[in-house]
Amino acid sequence: MKIALGADHAGYRLKDVIIPFIESLGHQVIDYGCSCADSVDYPDYALKVCEDVVSGEADKGILICGTGIGMSIAANKVPGIRCALVHDLFSAKATREHNDTNVLALGERVIGPGVAEEIVKIWLETEFSQGVRHQNRINKVQNIEDRFAIHP
């Protein structure tokens, strides 16, 4: 799989741990930065990653900031993105099985690198269950997105 990855200044250290870990699992990574502690705006990085996921340039995306909250909010503004903020193993599995998420948000200030690696591994390896009830719910979310979409 090709994974687009982006972080802000509060998440770049965890990003630098996660990239080689993802590569060790046999996946390709597109690194959108950032790579330093200088203050940057998380929506810029979320947008780059989400554009790759929506266009098909990347299969999935991972976003990291201090808490993961800002990144997840920004990501979920992009039509076609289903981003989940995850800080535990159960949620990593459930969000793929039940919600077919295509972007994962993590908080560097909330979890350590070991837990982050476990979350990423589970999230990347878990397939959508294809359950009818889950697909129906995803369709309803898509209908909400369509309803509020701005059409030029």
Side-chain angles (χ1 to χ4, degrees):
M1 267 190 291
K2 191 183 287 187
I3 312 301
L5 208 144
D8 70 0
H9 58 280
Y12 82 94
R13 288 174 296 277
L14 184 57
K15 176 186 68 74
D16 290 346
V17 169
I18 293 298
I19 288 174
F21 177 73
I22 292 170
E23 291 171 339
S24 78
L25 296 174
H27 305 293
Q28 181 183 351
V29 175
I30 306 166
D31 180 1
Y32 281 110
C34 87
S35 297
C36 66
D38 297 339
S39 183
V40 297
D41 298 329
Y42 63 83
D44 299 335
Y45 297 89
L47 182 59
K48 290 176 186 178
V49 167
C50 292
E51 285 176 332
D52 269 12
V53 173
V54 169
S55 74
E57 177 66 25
D59 299 296
K60 293 181 181 169
I62 298 175
L63 298 167
I64 307 169
C65 64
T67 62
I69 296 167
M71 285 290 202
S72 64
I73 291 170
N76 281 313
K77 299 296 181 188
V78 178
I81 294 298
R82 288 179 308 283
C83 177
L85 172 56
V86 174
H87 291 136
D88 65 87
L89 306 181
F90 174 80
S91 297
K93 185 174 177 77
T95 193
R96 285 290 306 130
E97 286 181 342
H98 297 188
N99 310 113
D100 196 20
T101 53
N102 50 12
V103 176
L104 173 68
L106 301 169
E108 179 178 308
R109 295 175 180 162
V110 179
I111 57 173
V115 172
E117 287 177 347
E118 290 183 63
I119 288 168
V120 167
K121 185 176 191 304
I122 289 168
W123 187 76
L124 289 174
E125 292 178 353
T126 302
E127 295 293 327
F128 176 51
S129 71
Q130 303 290 330
V132 173
R133 67 186 170 128
H134 300 304
Q135 186 60 58
N136 287 341
R137 292 169 184 155
I138 292 169
N139 293 343
K140 286 184 176 193
V141 170
Q142 181 64 51
N143 289 339
I144 293 169
E145 185 176 293
D146 293 344
R147 178 177 168 197
F148 289 96
I150 298 172
H151 301 285

